[in-house]
mmCIF file of all heavy atoms in Angstrom:
data_model
loop_
_atom_site.group_PDB
_atom_site.id
_atom_site.type_symbol
_atom_site.label_atom_id
_atom_site.label_comp_id
_atom_site.label_asym_id
_atom_site.label_seq_id
_atom_site.Cartn_x
_atom_site.Cartn_y
_atom_site.Cartn_z
ATOM 1 N N ALA A 17 0.826 -1.212 0.000
ATOM 2 C CA ALA A 17 0.000 0.000 0.000
ATOM 3 C C ALA A 17 0.859 1.260 0.000
ATOM 4 O O ALA A 17 0.577 2.234 -0.709
ATOM 5 C CB ALA A 17 -0.930 -0.006 1.209
ATOM 6 N N LEU A 18 1.928 1.257 0.778
ATOM 7 C CA LEU A 18 2.819 2.420 0.835
ATOM 8 C C LEU A 18 3.636 2.547 -0.451
ATOM 9 O O LEU A 18 4.005 3.657 -0.863
ATOM 10 C CB LEU A 18 3.748 2.313 2.040
ATOM 11 C CG LEU A 18 3.081 2.463 3.414
ATOM 12 C CD1 LEU A 18 4.080 2.147 4.519
ATOM 13 C CD2 LEU A 18 2.515 3.862 3.595
ATOM 14 N N TRP A 19 3.908 1.410 -1.087
ATOM 15 C CA TRP A 19 4.744 1.403 -2.284
ATOM 16 C C TRP A 19 3.997 1.918 -3.512
ATOM 17 O O TRP A 19 4.466 2.796 -4.223
ATOM 18 C CB TRP A 19 5.269 -0.012 -2.526
ATOM 19 C CG TRP A 19 6.104 -0.149 -3.766
ATOM 20 C CD1 TRP A 19 7.049 0.722 -4.237
ATOM 21 C CD2 TRP A 19 6.067 -1.239 -4.697
ATOM 22 N NE1 TRP A 19 7.610 0.247 -5.391
ATOM 23 C CE2 TRP A 19 7.024 -0.971 -5.703
ATOM 24 C CE3 TRP A 19 5.343 -2.420 -4.761
ATOM 25 C CZ2 TRP A 19 7.244 -1.826 -6.764
ATOM 26 C CZ3 TRP A 19 5.574 -3.281 -5.815
ATOM 27 C CH2 TRP A 19 6.510 -2.973 -6.811
ATOM 28 N N ASN A 20 2.784 1.361 -3.744
ATOM 29 C CA ASN A 20 2.077 1.767 -4.965
ATOM 30 C C ASN A 20 0.626 2.201 -4.729
ATOM 31 O O ASN A 20 -0.120 2.440 -5.679
ATOM 32 C CB ASN A 20 2.105 0.642 -5.998
ATOM 33 C CG ASN A 20 1.444 -0.629 -5.484
ATOM 34 O OD1 ASN A 20 0.695 -0.615 -4.519
ATOM 35 N ND2 ASN A 20 1.718 -1.744 -6.153
ATOM 36 N N GLY A 21 0.224 2.278 -3.462
ATOM 37 C CA GLY A 21 -1.116 2.762 -3.151
ATOM 38 C C GLY A 21 -2.210 1.730 -3.277
ATOM 39 O O GLY A 21 -3.386 2.023 -3.039
ATOM 40 N N ASN A 22 -1.857 0.498 -3.638
ATOM 41 C CA ASN A 22 -2.862 -0.558 -3.795
ATOM 42 C C ASN A 22 -3.071 -1.309 -2.480
ATOM 43 O O ASN A 22 -2.116 -1.593 -1.759
ATOM 44 C CB ASN A 22 -2.441 -1.557 -4.874
ATOM 45 C CG ASN A 22 -2.450 -0.935 -6.260
ATOM 46 O OD1 ASN A 22 -3.264 -0.058 -6.544
ATOM 47 N ND2 ASN A 22 -1.532 -1.363 -7.115
ATOM 48 N N ASN A 23 -4.315 -1.619 -2.213
ATOM 49 C CA ASN A 23 -4.648 -2.398 -1.024
ATOM 50 C C ASN A 23 -4.998 -3.818 -1.462
ATOM 51 O O ASN A 23 -6.038 -4.047 -2.075
ATOM 52 C CB ASN A 23 -5.840 -1.760 -0.297
ATOM 53 C CG ASN A 23 -6.107 -2.415 1.060
ATOM 54 O OD1 ASN A 23 -5.527 -3.440 1.388
ATOM 55 N ND2 ASN A 23 -6.986 -1.811 1.840
ATOM 56 N N ILE A 24 -4.099 -4.766 -1.193
ATOM 57 C CA ILE A 24 -4.323 -6.153 -1.622
ATOM 58 C C ILE A 24 -5.303 -6.824 -0.658
ATOM 59 O O ILE A 24 -4.926 -7.610 0.201
ATOM 60 C CB ILE A 24 -2.998 -6.943 -1.732
ATOM 61 C CG1 ILE A 24 -2.100 -6.728 -0.501
ATOM 62 C CG2 ILE A 24 -2.263 -6.553 -2.992
ATOM 63 C CD1 ILE A 24 -0.816 -7.523 -0.556
ATOM 64 N N LYS A 25 -6.578 -6.473 -0.838
ATOM 65 C CA LYS A 25 -7.616 -6.878 0.099
ATOM 66 C C LYS A 25 -7.817 -8.382 0.143
ATOM 67 O O LYS A 25 -8.314 -8.903 1.139
ATOM 68 C CB LYS A 25 -8.930 -6.181 -0.269
ATOM 69 C CG LYS A 25 -8.864 -4.657 -0.117
ATOM 70 C CD LYS A 25 -10.186 -4.015 -0.509
ATOM 71 C CE LYS A 25 -10.109 -2.500 -0.363
ATOM 72 N NZ LYS A 25 -11.384 -1.849 -0.768
ATOM 73 N N TYR A 26 -7.454 -9.097 -0.933
ATOM 74 C CA TYR A 26 -7.680 -10.542 -0.949
ATOM 75 C C TYR A 26 -6.972 -11.223 0.218
ATOM 76 O O TYR A 26 -7.453 -12.203 0.754
ATOM 77 C CB TYR A 26 -7.203 -11.137 -2.264
ATOM 78 C CG TYR A 26 -7.469 -12.629 -2.369
ATOM 79 C CD1 TYR A 26 -8.710 -13.107 -2.774
ATOM 80 C CD2 TYR A 26 -6.485 -13.555 -2.044
ATOM 81 C CE1 TYR A 26 -8.967 -14.461 -2.857
ATOM 82 C CE2 TYR A 26 -6.734 -14.921 -2.124
ATOM 83 C CZ TYR A 26 -7.979 -15.361 -2.530
ATOM 84 O OH TYR A 26 -8.230 -16.699 -2.596
ATOM 85 N N PHE A 27 -5.824 -10.669 0.628
ATOM 86 C CA PHE A 27 -5.064 -11.281 1.715
ATOM 87 C C PHE A 27 -5.734 -11.089 3.062
ATOM 88 O O PHE A 27 -5.329 -11.686 4.048
ATOM 89 C CB PHE A 27 -3.641 -10.714 1.737
ATOM 90 C CG PHE A 27 -2.712 -11.407 0.781
ATOM 91 C CD1 PHE A 27 -2.684 -11.046 -0.546
ATOM 92 C CD2 PHE A 27 -1.900 -12.433 1.209
ATOM 93 C CE1 PHE A 27 -1.840 -11.687 -1.445
ATOM 94 C CE2 PHE A 27 -1.050 -13.093 0.327
ATOM 95 C CZ PHE A 27 -1.023 -12.716 -1.003
ATOM 96 N N ASN A 28 -6.754 -10.240 3.127
ATOM 97 C CA ASN A 28 -7.529 -10.079 4.351
ATOM 98 C C ASN A 28 -9.002 -10.406 4.123
ATOM 99 O O ASN A 28 -9.873 -9.904 4.829
ATOM 100 C CB ASN A 28 -7.391 -8.656 4.906
ATOM 101 C CG ASN A 28 -6.248 -8.562 5.918
ATOM 102 O OD1 ASN A 28 -5.611 -9.570 6.228
ATOM 103 N ND2 ASN A 28 -5.997 -7.387 6.424
ATOM 104 N N SER A 29 -9.256 -11.262 3.139
ATOM 105 C CA SER A 29 -10.624 -11.710 2.881
ATOM 106 C C SER A 29 -10.888 -12.991 3.671
ATOM 107 O O SER A 29 -10.058 -13.905 3.683
ATOM 108 C CB SER A 29 -10.816 -11.976 1.388
ATOM 109 O OG SER A 29 -12.021 -12.671 1.159
ATOM 110 N N TYR A 30 -12.042 -13.046 4.340
ATOM 111 C CA TYR A 30 -12.370 -14.222 5.140
ATOM 112 C C TYR A 30 -12.349 -15.505 4.324
ATOM 113 O O TYR A 30 -12.074 -16.580 4.861
ATOM 114 C CB TYR A 30 -13.761 -14.067 5.765
ATOM 115 C CG TYR A 30 -13.853 -12.995 6.830
ATOM 116 C CD1 TYR A 30 -14.885 -12.069 6.821
ATOM 117 C CD2 TYR A 30 -12.917 -12.918 7.850
ATOM 118 C CE1 TYR A 30 -14.987 -11.088 7.799
ATOM 119 C CE2 TYR A 30 -12.995 -11.946 8.834
ATOM 120 C CZ TYR A 30 -14.036 -11.025 8.801
ATOM 121 O OH TYR A 30 -14.122 -10.069 9.768
ATOM 122 N N THR A 31 -12.659 -15.408 3.037
ATOM 123 C CA THR A 31 -12.719 -16.606 2.203
ATOM 124 C C THR A 31 -11.499 -16.763 1.296
ATOM 125 O O THR A 31 -11.441 -17.687 0.494
ATOM 126 C CB THR A 31 -13.988 -16.577 1.320
ATOM 127 O OG1 THR A 31 -13.989 -15.375 0.531
ATOM 128 C CG2 THR A 31 -15.236 -16.614 2.179
ATOM 129 N N GLY A 32 -10.527 -15.859 1.406
ATOM 130 C CA GLY A 32 -9.298 -15.987 0.644
ATOM 131 C C GLY A 32 -8.411 -17.059 1.262
ATOM 132 O O GLY A 32 -8.384 -17.234 2.479
ATOM 133 N N PHE A 33 -7.684 -17.792 0.437
ATOM 134 C CA PHE A 33 -6.928 -18.922 1.000
ATOM 135 C C PHE A 33 -5.856 -18.515 2.011
ATOM 136 O O PHE A 33 -5.545 -19.287 2.924
ATOM 137 C CB PHE A 33 -6.341 -19.802 -0.116
ATOM 138 C CG PHE A 33 -5.137 -19.261 -0.819
ATOM 139 C CD1 PHE A 33 -3.870 -19.468 -0.319
ATOM 140 C CD2 PHE A 33 -5.272 -18.556 -2.011
ATOM 141 C CE1 PHE A 33 -2.752 -18.985 -0.977
ATOM 142 C CE2 PHE A 33 -4.158 -18.071 -2.670
ATOM 143 C CZ PHE A 33 -2.897 -18.271 -2.148
ATOM 144 N N PRO A 34 -5.251 -17.292 1.957
ATOM 145 C CA PRO A 34 -4.301 -16.923 3.020
ATOM 146 C C PRO A 34 -4.958 -16.878 4.393
ATOM 147 O O PRO A 34 -4.423 -17.414 5.361
ATOM 148 C CB PRO A 34 -3.815 -15.536 2.579
ATOM 149 C CG PRO A 34 -4.005 -15.520 1.098
ATOM 150 C CD PRO A 34 -5.273 -16.265 0.880
ATOM 151 N N VAL A 35 -6.146 -16.253 4.480
ATOM 152 C CA VAL A 35 -6.855 -16.152 5.760
ATOM 153 C C VAL A 35 -7.393 -17.509 6.189
ATOM 154 O O VAL A 35 -7.349 -17.865 7.375
ATOM 155 C CB VAL A 35 -8.002 -15.126 5.671
ATOM 156 C CG1 VAL A 35 -8.842 -15.144 6.951
ATOM 157 C CG2 VAL A 35 -7.450 -13.734 5.439
ATOM 158 N N VAL A 36 -7.891 -18.286 5.229
ATOM 159 C CA VAL A 36 -8.414 -19.611 5.551
ATOM 160 C C VAL A 36 -7.321 -20.496 6.144
ATOM 161 O O VAL A 36 -7.515 -21.147 7.177
ATOM 162 C CB VAL A 36 -9.018 -20.275 4.294
ATOM 163 C CG1 VAL A 36 -9.329 -21.752 4.560
ATOM 164 C CG2 VAL A 36 -10.284 -19.538 3.870
ATOM 165 N N LEU A 37 -6.154 -20.505 5.515
ATOM 166 C CA LEU A 37 -5.039 -21.300 6.048
ATOM 167 C C LEU A 37 -4.611 -20.812 7.428
ATOM 168 O O LEU A 37 -4.344 -21.598 8.337
ATOM 169 C CB LEU A 37 -3.849 -21.239 5.085
ATOM 170 C CG LEU A 37 -3.669 -22.404 4.114
ATOM 171 C CD1 LEU A 37 -2.446 -22.183 3.243
ATOM 172 C CD2 LEU A 37 -3.547 -23.728 4.857
ATOM 173 N N PHE A 38 -4.532 -19.497 7.582
ATOM 174 C CA PHE A 38 -4.150 -18.894 8.856
ATOM 175 C C PHE A 38 -5.141 -19.292 9.946
ATOM 176 O O PHE A 38 -4.758 -19.670 11.066
ATOM 177 C CB PHE A 38 -4.099 -17.371 8.702
ATOM 178 C CG PHE A 38 -3.510 -16.643 9.876
ATOM 179 C CD1 PHE A 38 -2.643 -17.269 10.766
ATOM 180 C CD2 PHE A 38 -3.823 -15.305 10.088
ATOM 181 C CE1 PHE A 38 -2.092 -16.571 11.845
ATOM 182 C CE2 PHE A 38 -3.288 -14.602 11.165
ATOM 183 C CZ PHE A 38 -2.423 -15.239 12.041
ATOM 184 N N SER A 39 -6.421 -19.251 9.620
ATOM 185 C CA SER A 39 -7.475 -19.598 10.580
ATOM 186 C C SER A 39 -7.409 -21.076 10.968
ATOM 187 O O SER A 39 -7.563 -21.438 12.137
ATOM 188 C CB SER A 39 -8.847 -19.262 9.994
ATOM 189 O OG SER A 39 -8.914 -17.917 9.581
ATOM 190 N N MET A 40 -7.196 -21.922 9.976
ATOM 191 C CA MET A 40 -7.061 -23.353 10.254
ATOM 192 C C MET A 40 -5.868 -23.609 11.169
ATOM 193 O O MET A 40 -5.934 -24.449 12.080
ATOM 194 C CB MET A 40 -6.883 -24.120 8.946
ATOM 195 C CG MET A 40 -8.116 -24.179 8.069
ATOM 196 S SD MET A 40 -7.769 -25.024 6.483
ATOM 197 C CE MET A 40 -9.427 -25.147 5.803
ATOM 198 N N ALA A 41 -4.789 -22.873 10.943
ATOM 199 C CA ALA A 41 -3.587 -23.030 11.760
ATOM 200 C C ALA A 41 -3.856 -22.637 13.207
ATOM 201 O O ALA A 41 -3.386 -23.306 14.143
ATOM 202 C CB ALA A 41 -2.456 -22.187 11.186
ATOM 203 N N ILE A 42 -4.614 -21.559 13.408
ATOM 204 C CA ILE A 42 -4.959 -21.124 14.763
ATOM 205 C C ILE A 42 -5.768 -22.201 15.468
ATOM 206 O O ILE A 42 -5.491 -22.569 16.624
ATOM 207 C CB ILE A 42 -5.753 -19.800 14.729
ATOM 208 C CG1 ILE A 42 -4.887 -18.651 14.196
ATOM 209 C CG2 ILE A 42 -6.307 -19.460 16.114
ATOM 210 C CD1 ILE A 42 -3.736 -18.259 15.092
#
């Protein structure tokens, strides 16, 4: 976001695989 102003929201989406994997790990 600081580099190019884009917010990569997929990485904080409840159904995106990064969050899903993180949640499963917890």
Side-chain angles (χ1 to χ4, degrees):
L18 291 172
W19 178 41
N20 60 17
N22 292 328
N23 188 351
I24 47 178
K25 295 179 180 179
Y26 183 83
F27 276 83
N28 268 357
S29 168
Y30 292 133
T31 57
F33 76 86
V35 173
V36 169
L37 262 180
F38 189 23
S39 305
M40 290 176 172
I42 294 293

